[in-house]
Amino acid sequence: VLHHDLIKRDTTAMNLSRPKSKRLRVSRPWQRLLWVALFVCTFMSCYRNFYFDGDQRTLQSSSKKHMSILSLEESRSLFRDPNDDPNRASVGHRGEPSPTRAKNSSLHRMIKNPSAQESNATIVVQLSGEMGNNLQKIAFGRGLQLMARERGVETNLVFRHQETSDKWTLARALIIQCFPNLRQFDFEAGNKAEYRNRVIEQKIKYGSKGEQLKIQNKQDDTISTAMDTLEQLVNPSSHLVSPSPETASDPNTNIRVPFLYADAMAGHDFLDRFRDDFLEFFWFDDEACCAQQPDLDESVFHFRNFKTELSDAADSLGFQELGPQQTAEELFGDLAIGDKVAILSRFKNDDAQSYVRALEARGVQVRLVSGQTPVHDFCFLKNARKEMVGSEISTFFAWAAYLSDAKVRSYFLDANQKVGRMGKYEWQDPSLRKRYRYESYTAL
């Protein structure tokens, strides 16, 4: 005890003789909390800069060297781990959003639709149907806009929604939610009094020439005639009446005269020819619109179920699909016992369950994905990795396939010829030619 007391006294004396440190001493609890908070904030700031801003710094430095906007394939490869399988780059697990696509969403460029004041003419796009049909018609209008630009004619797009059905309201909401480049458009701009006034104005000014500015089918001669007429009407050297200067100068104007009226769906030729532009113009916001994802080894089958929606009229109108037995034995006849299929359907009824039972009878593992929102279904279908299978006459399936990276098996029946949206197409784009396979069947 005495020895311990002597050591303690010596230590105390040494501490008293040592000069006091200038380091700030934190003695109060609130001061300690302040220092801890400061440390945490500093750490999180560094973490965010390193993990989240690093991609943007890489993109900015790359764009300064080469070009201001990266192409879609370059932007995808920029953040791809070389050790990963490229076919798995944008895959998430069930119930999880796709991490790579969400990360890359900021790399797509925003494409501005010119205003009427910046344009020589206007293209009025007549919309109809649901999301898939609307996308198909917008693509037709966008293709015409690009064709006009090739001729030196700058145009602005104006959307005119379907007035005989209220389907357009849901279609607009879904498109605006998931297609960032389409959020700038007013889907009612072509339904206002201005449109009716411009129709009268165009008829008075151009007479029969104005009638040639209507495209209501995809025939090449009709499109060519309309584009030739439009080019003539906006050419100042033309003997025809020039565009109205008062229309061009009015800041409230949305529709220029002359205007082209487009009421048709984009065909394979448009989707093929303008592939690079369409991938940017119609880029899909996975981060905002995806929920669960397909498995890597899972075939995704889109059962559109026209019969439930159209009842007995489905067959007479040509909207016929393969039945459960043909689907199991012919469409998926190459699957082995234990292979996996996810059936995606908007209607969870006995019709959908019959396909589940038919496939399970062959020993295939099946799950029915239903009850999601339409955009969740679209994302699930688009993000298929092994393969996606569906009817050629479904524009919903067609657009998910077009924006996907997966192998596509698109089937059609003899009865589908009434619809007019079917048939084998020889893609010129290498990536589409490699991914697509068309199959023809005769319904039993």
Side-chain angles (χ1 to χ4, degrees):
V1 174
L2 178 61
H3 177 69
H4 176 74
D5 187 55
L6 289 174
I7 293 175
K8 184 176 180 181
R9 287 179 184 179
D10 290 343
T11 305
T12 302
M14 290 173 64
N15 289 337
L16 290 174
S17 62
R18 183 179 300 165
K20 292 184 177 180
S21 173
K22 294 182 180 181
R23 181 172 59 86
L24 177 64
R25 297 183 180 276
V26 180
S27 58
R28 298 184 181 181
W30 68 268
Q31 290 178 319
R32 294 175 183 171
L33 289 174
L34 181 62
W35 280 103
V36 170
L38 181 61
F39 173 78
V40 171
C41 289
T42 303
F43 175 79
M44 292 303 295
S45 177
C46 294
Y47 178 86
R48 180 179 178 80
N49 288 337
F50 181 78
Y51 284 94
F52 293 91
D53 295 343
D55 290 347
Q56 292 297 329
R57 287 197 299 270
T58 304
L59 174 59
Q60 290 168 5
S61 63
S62 177
S63 62
K64 287 178 182 178
K65 276 186 176 182
H66 303 287
M67 55 184 178
S68 59
I69 299 171
L70 294 178
S71 70
L72 183 66
E73 288 304 319
E74 289 171 329
S75 64
R76 282 178 177 169
S77 63
L78 187 59
F79 302 118
R80 183 175 293 160
D81 186 343
N83 295 321
D84 289 342
D85 179 355
N87 293 327
R88 300 179 59 177
S90 57
V91 178
H93 298 290
R94 290 192 190 182
E96 297 178 1
S98 174
T100 303
R101 289 184 185 271
K103 189 176 184 180
N104 286 346
S105 62
S106 62
L107 301 182
H108 294 272
R109 65 187 176 106
M110 298 303 295
I111 300 177
K112 180 181 178 295
N113 181 46
S115 66
Q117 293 70 38
E118 299 169 330
S119 305
N120 308 115
T122 296
I123 298 175
V124 177
V125 180
Q126 178 64 62
L127 304 176
S128 63
E130 298 181 282
M131 188 177 86
N133 285 8
N134 275 257
L135 292 175
Q136 201 84 347
K137 289 199 162 187
I138 294 171
F140 184 67
R142 175 62 177 173
L144 293 176
Q145 186 181 44
L146 297 175
M147 291 175 67
R149 187 171 294 166
E150 291 172 354
R151 294 167 173 254
V153 179
E154 189 61 51
T155 62
N156 67 306
L157 296 180
V158 169
F159 293 171
R160 173 178 165 82
H161 69 73
Q162 186 176 8
E163 294 183 327
T164 58
S165 172
D166 60 356
K167 288 182 178 181
W168 72 273
T169 55
L170 177 59
R172 174 184 63 177
L174 300 176
I175 289 172
I176 289 176
Q177 178 186 352
C178 301
F179 295 88
N181 274 318
L182 301 182
R183 292 170 185 164
Q184 62 186 305
F185 291 95
D186 178 2
F187 281 59
E188 299 180 83
N191 299 83
K192 299 175 182 178
E194 180 189 10
Y195 172 74
R196 294 186 290 273
N197 294 336
R198 296 290 179 262
V199 170
I200 296 172
E201 181 181 350
Q202 180 151 291
K203 187 174 182 180
I204 293 173
K205 279 193 170 186
Y206 304 125
S208 60
K209 282 288 183 182
E211 291 299 313
Q212 295 177 0
L213 297 177
K214 293 182 180 179
I215 303 178
Q216 294 177 289
N217 60 63
K218 298 189 293 294
Q219 293 181 4
D220 292 340
D221 57 343
T222 304
I223 296 175
S224 178
T225 300
M227 299 308 296
D228 289 343
T229 303
L230 186 67
E231 186 177 5
Q232 291 175 6
L233 293 179
V234 301
N235 188 347
S237 63
S238 172
H239 66 281
L240 299 170
V241 181
S242 61
S244 303
E246 64 274 11
T247 301
S249 60
D250 185 356
N252 297 317
T253 295
N254 290 313
I255 302 175
R256 287 288 304 269
V257 173
F259 71 86
L260 185 66
Y261 178 78
D263 183 12
M265 294 186 181
H268 290 107
D269 54 340
F270 269 45
L271 299 176
D272 200 3
R273 176 179 176 180
F274 303 114
R275 169 71 171 170
D276 291 339
D277 179 88
F278 282 5
L279 282 178
E280 292 292 348
F281 193 74
F282 294 98
W283 72 269
F284 186 86
D285 189 350
D286 286 60
E287 190 173 7
C289 299
C290 291
Q292 60 176 315
Q293 298 287 327
D295 290 343
L296 296 175
D297 57 349
E298 195 170 42
S299 298
V300 179
F301 172 56
H302 179 236
F303 174 44
R304 176 59 176 80
N305 204 344
F306 284 112
K307 188 175 181 180
T308 295
E309 181 181 351
L310 302 175
S311 190
D312 295 336
D315 291 347
S316 61
L317 293 174
F319 291 94
Q320 190 174 354
E321 298 172 83
L322 279 176
Q325 289 303 122
Q326 275 191 281
T327 297
E329 296 172 5
E330 297 182 36
L331 190 62
F332 288 108
D334 59 331
L335 295 186
I337 295 175
D339 284 346
K340 297 161 64 176
V341 173
I343 300 178
L344 184 71
S345 179
R346 67 192 302 184
F347 302 111
K348 191 176 182 179
N349 54 16
D350 189 62
D351 288 337
Q353 293 292 345
S354 64
Y355 286 80
V356 175
R357 292 191 292 268
L359 285 166
E360 287 181 337
R362 288 195 54 243
V364 177
Q365 299 182 44
V366 187
R367 64 171 171 137
L368 178 61
V369 180
S370 187
Q372 299 189 117
T373 67
V375 294
H376 288 166
D377 282 350
F378 189 90
C379 179
F380 186 91
L381 187 59
K382 178 181 72 70
N383 288 349
R385 303 317 304 169
K386 179 184 176 182
E387 64 176 358
M388 55 191 302
V389 186
S391 172
E392 171 74 6
I393 62 174
S394 168
T395 53
F396 188 88
F397 172 79
W399 270 94
Y402 184 72
L403 298 178
S404 176
D405 296 321
K407 173 186 172 183
V408 179
R409 293 174 56 205
S410 185
Y411 81 84
F412 51 90
L413 307 176
D414 296 339
N416 297 150
Q417 294 180 7
K418 296 179 182 179
V419 180
R421 295 198 304 264
M422 50 77 66
K424 183 178 180 180
Y425 181 78
E426 295 293 338
W427 295 100
Q428 299 303 307
D429 181 86
S431 64
L432 296 176
R433 185 168 61 247
K434 181 179 179 180
R435 291 195 299 112
Y436 273 76
R437 188 174 89 189
Y438 294 94
E439 302 175 14
S440 176
Y441 294 90
T442 301
L444 300 179

